[in-house]
Amino acid sequence: MSNNSDIQPVHVIGGGLAGSESAWQLAESGVPVILHEMRPTRGTDAHHTDSMAELVCSNSFRSDDHETNAVGLLHEEMRRMNSLIIKSADIHKVPAGSALAVDRDGFAAGVTEVLENHPLITIERGEVEGLPPEDWDSVIIATGPLTSPALAQAIREVSGEDQLAFFDAIAQIIYKESINFDIAWFQSRYDKGDGKDYINCPMSQEQYDAFLDALIDGEKTQFKEWEQDTPYFEGCLPIEVMAERGRKTLSFGPMKPVGLTNANDPTVKPKAIVQLRQDNKLGTLFNMVGFQTKLTYGEQKRIFRMIPGLENAEFARLGGIHRNTFINSPKLLDPVLRLKAIPRLRFAGQITGCEGYVESAAIGLLAGRFAAAERLGKEPVSPPETTSMGAILNHVTLGADADTFQPMNANFGLFPPLDTDHLPKKQRFRGRDRKMEMAKRGLRDMDAWIAEQLPSAAE
């Protein structure tokens, strides 16, 4: 095993999901890390604590189905790569049907404790203003969607890119004791998971129409002049923006009534259903699924209490909107996440244009492994594009069109097609079978790639 004192540390800027995972992977590879986190010295518009890996939006890592879902496949790949983020998520899991959702406070506290106690990780609190010093010869910038203005401006200048941002939104959290269960009931859609992982609030056509009108007409927060041209990320649109796109958008989206039966009155079929998902292990807090918003706080209380079952809702946290930062990665980064103009700088997480907690952590995992390989005198090797991790990496470095680049979640559309052209059409995989075959291929190729990376300096 290498003497760690002979290895220069890698600097990781940002203690979110990606930065925490990068630091962990480096340290577990035997490479010392200095992890820089500006909180609490400098706060952000969305964080509430100084914990590492704080979840500022949903508490869900989305589907944990690794057989037919690209995100679930990513979970499984990360488990096989000793991911700190997924390990902590599994420990602090709360009921969420087929999804992996966590007690957000326990999750963040768990990640923080592990990082603080690792002998090769030093945590330094304070903002890194501007570009990192030149004597930091290996740096991972994992400042996430809430990059400080000074660093964002420095990245803008060195990259020559004007647009580095989009808007993202935060959903509400409600105290369970304030929900009216004479109207609401527990059930998972299609009875997945434990079958009763979500609270459901039904709406009639008349109630749905009134709710839509209130969403559209409600008072919204106003953007600053410099924010006017900042776009939304399509995967996390505010609920009122979706409502403005058509009267049926919500009832076919986050408020779809399918796969559920009203336990209080099975004879009535709702027009729409609002779901709430458990947010902490105690089961005292629930968040509104898909209800990100830019409504003012007063309007949120008024309008969301129009939802049957939530007429007396008390909010532990109201929704909000914040400006996220990401770079044009296909134009600026090489295949192992280094900035082409300054190769000592590597980017990870949502700032690269991947979207979602798991995707962010996965890119952080890869950035940490790539930086560790370089420190140990090895050539960084990317995972195959047939894996979920390799597919999202390819999207943010090589696969996307730089002229139209937008944040992207993991999905099977990013994967190379199955090699079935030689088969008769009737024997080619379709639908669920196709996804299952792509997932099997992904795990098989991931296992082979992991085996090729061994041994490491930490063995």
Side-chain angles (χ1 to χ4, degrees), residues 108-421:
V111 172
T112 303
E113 182 180 7
V114 168
L115 295 177
E116 288 178 340
N117 292 327
H118 200 293
L120 292 181
I121 298 176
T122 301
I123 298 175
E124 292 191 357
R125 298 283 183 170
E127 182 180 359
V128 176
E129 299 184 11
L131 287 182
E134 291 190 7
D135 60 345
W136 295 8
D137 66 336
S138 181
V139 181
I140 296 175
I141 298 176
T143 46
L146 300 168
T147 299
S148 68
L151 182 54
Q153 181 58 33
I155 295 169
R156 202 175 278 114
E157 291 173 357
V158 74
S159 67
E161 293 290 303
D162 293 329
Q163 181 63 272
L164 292 175
F166 67 100
F167 280 122
D168 202 355
I170 300 172
Q172 309 71 25
I173 297 177
I174 293 175
Y175 291 103
K176 176 190 173 186
E177 64 183 12
S178 70
I179 299 172
N180 180 3
F181 285 98
D182 289 336
I183 296 174
W185 76 95
F186 276 96
Q187 186 185 7
S188 304
R189 190 168 274 120
Y190 299 111
D191 296 318
K192 290 184 176 180
D194 290 336
K196 297 182 179 181
D197 292 347
Y198 290 80
I199 295 173
N200 301 277
C201 300
M203 282 186 178
S204 66
Q205 181 70 59
E206 182 180 3
Q207 290 167 332
Y208 178 68
D209 287 337
F211 181 68
L212 285 184
D213 292 338
L215 281 178
I216 294 169
D217 296 336
E219 183 182 357
K220 320 298 193 300
T221 55
Q222 298 300 309
F223 297 144
K224 297 179 177 64
E225 183 178 350
W226 54 269
E227 297 176 319
Q228 293 295 327
D229 296 327
T230 303
Y232 289 111
F233 169 58
E234 286 291 320
C236 201
L237 286 173
I239 192 74
E240 62 276 3
V241 172
M242 285 190 277
E244 291 169 354
R245 293 186 170 184
R247 305 294 292 186
K248 295 183 179 181
T249 302
L250 293 180
S251 60
F252 280 83
M255 295 174 64
K256 58 182 178 287
V258 299
L260 298 162
T261 301
N262 189 335
N264 295 313
D265 191 349
T267 65
V268 176
K269 292 188 176 181
K271 170 62 179 179
I273 289 177
V274 174
Q275 288 197 307
L276 295 92
R277 177 178 55 230
Q278 187 172 326
D279 202 79
N280 66 343
K281 264 204 159 87
L282 292 174
T284 57
L285 300 174
F286 280 73
N287 64 67
M288 299 177 69
V289 178
F291 267 65
Q292 306 81 220
T293 184
K294 60 175 181 173
L295 289 167
T296 62
Y297 284 176
E299 289 289 75
Q300 288 182 51
K301 292 179 181 179
R302 179 182 71 85
I303 295 171
F304 296 146
R305 284 173 180 158
M306 294 173 64
I307 298 170
L310 301 185
E311 56 272 6
N312 297 311
E314 293 296 330
F315 296 87
R317 186 186 74 184
L318 288 162
I321 189 165
H322 53 272
R323 194 170 184 262
N324 284 352
T325 300
F326 74 98
I327 62 175
N328 192 338
S329 294
K331 180 179 180 180
L332 301 177
L333 302 184
D334 73 8
V336 288
L337 300 167
R338 291 175 299 210
L339 186 64
K340 294 175 184 177
I342 309 177
R344 69 185 177 90
L345 304 181
R346 184 174 259 114
F347 284 80
Q350 282 186 273
I351 197 171
T352 65
C354 64
E355 175 57 25
Y357 290 151
V358 187
E359 292 87 340
S360 176
I363 295 298
L365 186 157
L366 289 175
R369 292 226 171 183
F370 292 157
E374 288 181 346
R375 267 291 186 259
L376 300 172
K378 302 175 183 178
E379 188 70 25
V381 180
S382 300
E385 295 174 22
T386 51
T387 66
S388 195
M389 195 173 297
I392 196 70
L393 174 67
N394 181 64
H395 173 74
V396 300
T397 56
L398 300 171
D401 185 340
D403 292 333
T404 59
F405 181 61
Q406 282 290 307
M408 180 71 74
N409 293 120
N411 65 85
F412 283 120
L414 300 177
F415 289 52
L418 294 168
D419 183 16
T420 58
D421 289 346

